[in-house]
Amino acid sequence: MNAMPLRRLPVIGALTAGGLVLLAAGPAFAHVSVQPGEAEKGGYSTINFKVPNERDDASTVKLEVTLPADHPLASVMPQPVPGWDVKVTKSKLPKPMEMHGEKISEAVTKVTWSGGKIEPGMFQQFPLSVGQLPDDADQLAFKALQTYDNKEVVRWIEEPKEGAAEPENPAPVLKLVAPAEGSDGHDAAAASGQGKDSGSEKAGAENSASADSSDDKDSSDTTARVLGIVGIVIGAAGVAYGVVVSRRRSA
């Protein structure tokens, strides 16, 4: 009778340990993050800062995102979020940057959303259009401050390092990847080539149909000629037969 509980102890212990691991790993997935997690170098992208509420007894009421100073972005435009006010802060650049042939002396350094509320167990996304992304970097780190209505501020500012464990309060990171091979022009050329193939096939089909029609016409003409000749032969045979019968009667 006592053997059964003893056999169950390892199972219970494993489940308990697994539960503790899940609980310990839980907070690591609940930090402010950038979605999608990557974008092409040298291009423009719309990213979302996903902000989950980590507290059971407080609501998130403010998000401050500081843009990387080492790679300033000339174009930064927030998308309106219902219920939230947005403030864009610009600062002068230590060194003017050139974009599309124009020199830019200031850039957006911080974007702040406030006035709304993220309830416990909820999350909110804050869209931002950014560009032109640098082509000489592999990632951009956006330091974020998450403020709760109980005055608590969580600082998501630690930059993750390759090969190291994830920090306790990691900053949202956007990975930059090489542009995908191919372009719209290439696709258009392919579509154009496909169109040419389709046109050739259509022309071929029309030529084939024309040839078939010509063959049918030739066949019909040949049949008519054969029937005409047969009719002439039969007619001549009838005339000859009539002459022979007429002579026999005369005789």
Side-chain angles (χ1 to χ4, degrees):
M1 297 294 292
N2 294 331
M4 185 66 70
L6 289 176
R7 286 198 298 267
R8 291 179 179 174
L9 285 177
V11 177
I12 296 174
L15 292 175
T16 303
L20 291 175
V21 170
L22 290 176
L23 289 175
F29 294 97
H31 55 76
V32 177
S33 60
V34 175
Q35 296 184 351
E38 65 179 36
E40 293 185 355
K41 296 181 179 181
Y44 291 78
S45 181
T46 297
I47 58 179
N48 291 280
F49 290 95
K50 182 179 180 181
V51 183
N53 192 330
E54 295 186 308
R55 303 293 180 260
D56 297 329
D57 55 354
S59 298
T60 296
V61 293
K62 187 178 181 181
L63 175 69
E64 298 174 74
V65 175
T66 299
L67 279 66
D70 54 343
H71 292 289
L73 301 173
S75 176
V76 177
M77 295 184 292
Q79 178 178 331
V81 179
W84 292 80
D85 298 323
V86 60
K87 179 182 178 182
V88 177
T89 302
K90 293 185 177 181
S91 301
K92 286 190 175 182
L93 300 174
K95 181 180 179 180
M97 59 186 298
E98 188 171 331
M99 182 177 180
H100 301 306
E102 297 183 3
K103 287 187 177 181
I104 299 174
S105 59
E106 65 177 12
V108 175
T109 53
K110 182 190 294 186
V111 181
T112 304
W113 290 271
S114 61
K117 183 177 290 187
I118 306 175
E119 303 284 353
M122 302 283 188
F123 77 90
Q124 179 65 55
Q125 295 193 81
F126 299 91
L128 204 64
S129 174
V130 296
Q132 185 173 358
L133 298 174
D135 54 11
D136 59 349
D138 294 325
Q139 66 178 32
L140 293 178
F142 300 85
K143 297 182 179 181
L145 302 182
Q146 182 179 6
T147 302
Y148 290 87
D149 56 7
N150 60 2
K151 307 303 181 182
E152 178 188 5
V153 178
V154 181
R155 301 169 64 83
W156 305 102
I157 60 174
E158 300 178 50
E159 295 188 30
K161 296 181 179 180
E162 187 176 357
E166 185 178 59
E168 184 177 356
N169 294 315
V173 172
L174 176 66
K175 293 183 179 180
L176 301 178
V177 299
E181 293 184 3
S183 63
D184 293 339
H186 177 72
D187 294 340
S192 176
Q194 183 177 359
K196 290 179 180 179
D197 292 343
S198 299
S200 298
E201 292 176 0
K202 182 177 181 180
E206 291 176 350
N207 291 337
S208 177
S210 177
D212 292 343
S213 177
S214 177
D215 291 343
D216 292 341
K217 184 177 180 181
D218 292 342
S219 178
S220 299
D221 292 343
T222 301
T223 302
R225 290 173 184 174
V226 171
L227 292 176
I229 294 172
V230 171
I232 293 172
V233 172
I234 293 175
V239 172
Y241 178 76
V243 172
V244 172
V245 171
S246 177
R247 288 180 178 178
R248 287 180 177 177
R249 288 180 179 177
S250 299

